[in-house]
Amino acid sequence: MIRKPPEPVQIVKQRRDAALGALVSGVPYIQYLNISFDRRGDELTAVLPFDEKLIGNPFLPAIHGGVTAAFLEVTAMITLNWTWLWEDIETGVLDADQMTAGKLPRLPKTIDFTVDYLRTGLPRDAYARARVTRLGRRYASVQAEAWQDNHDRPFAHATAHFLMPRKDG
């Protein structure tokens, strides 16, 4: 049996970056908040750079609770999509160029979303990571947390459930 040579690492990275870029660009609110994702292999870290428009209470000042919730939901949603589509992206079933052109597969939909506000979000950059705790045929559960200066001191935590689309259409 003749084994196919592995793809050059640069090609693999380009395909992964293009697929992630397509997922992120499909949500206009992500661009409005200027959220980006740092990808290391299959792990994603969301980055919310500080901007004055994010302040909800100028007297503290504190990041608006709605911005915090949106940041966590976006992190959970993109992480779930990335996890769910990872194998199809890696095997080439999903073409990153077609995804970039706007031909995305059907994606999970939010069923419910709960945020625990643990402390004030300060006027500085924020980071978030999500973990898929259950990925079934019908629904998925995801937990996300956001922090600023110290990963061990999150300022918000969220739990989300998503309705999974059928793989056959």
Side-chain angles (χ1 to χ4, degrees):
M1 182 168 119
I2 298 174
R3 189 178 290 196
K4 183 178 164 185
E7 287 182 288
V9 70
Q10 207 51 32
I11 299 297
V12 172
K13 285 182 177 182
Q14 287 173 352
R15 183 176 61 240
R16 290 175 183 171
D17 290 342
L20 179 58
L23 290 173
V24 170
S25 67
V27 184
Y29 197 53
I30 293 175
Q31 280 78 50
Y32 176 74
L33 292 177
N34 201 24
I35 298 171
S36 62
F37 286 85
D38 180 30
R39 183 189 59 75
R40 302 285 181 224
D42 68 341
E43 182 180 75
L44 300 176
T45 301
V47 180
L48 175 67
F50 175 71
D51 189 318
E52 287 293 329
K53 71 182 178 190
L54 305 178
I55 297 297
N57 184 341
F59 296 108
L60 290 178
I63 294 177
H64 191 281
V67 170
T68 299
F71 181 47
L72 286 168
E73 186 173 10
V74 161
T75 302
M77 179 180 65
I78 295 297
T79 300
L80 173 60
N81 292 339
W82 185 248
T83 302
W84 183 57
L85 297 174
W86 176 263
E87 188 176 326
D88 289 345
I89 293 166
E90 290 298 293
T91 60
V93 170
L94 281 176
D95 182 0
D97 292 333
Q98 287 188 353
M99 289 177 67
T100 303
K103 295 182 180 177
L104 294 172
R106 289 184 57 209
L107 299 173
K109 305 289 184 207
T110 306
I111 296 173
D112 65 27
F113 186 78
T114 305
V115 179
D116 294 324
Y117 297 95
L118 307 173
R119 58 186 45 84
T120 301
L122 301 172
R124 56 185 64 140
D125 293 353
Y127 309 93
R129 282 197 192 125
R131 184 170 55 93
V132 178
T133 56
R134 183 190 192 286
L135 181 56
R137 287 184 313 119
R138 295 183 182 195
Y139 82 94
S141 298
V142 181
Q143 293 182 342
E145 70 176 9
W147 71 94
Q148 290 181 307
D149 297 325
N150 184 342
H151 187 268
D152 293 329
R153 290 183 44 85
F155 69 94
H157 177 271
T159 302
H161 296 98
F162 295 88
L163 178 65
M164 300 302 294
R166 292 173 45 149
K167 278 275 192 177
D168 60 359

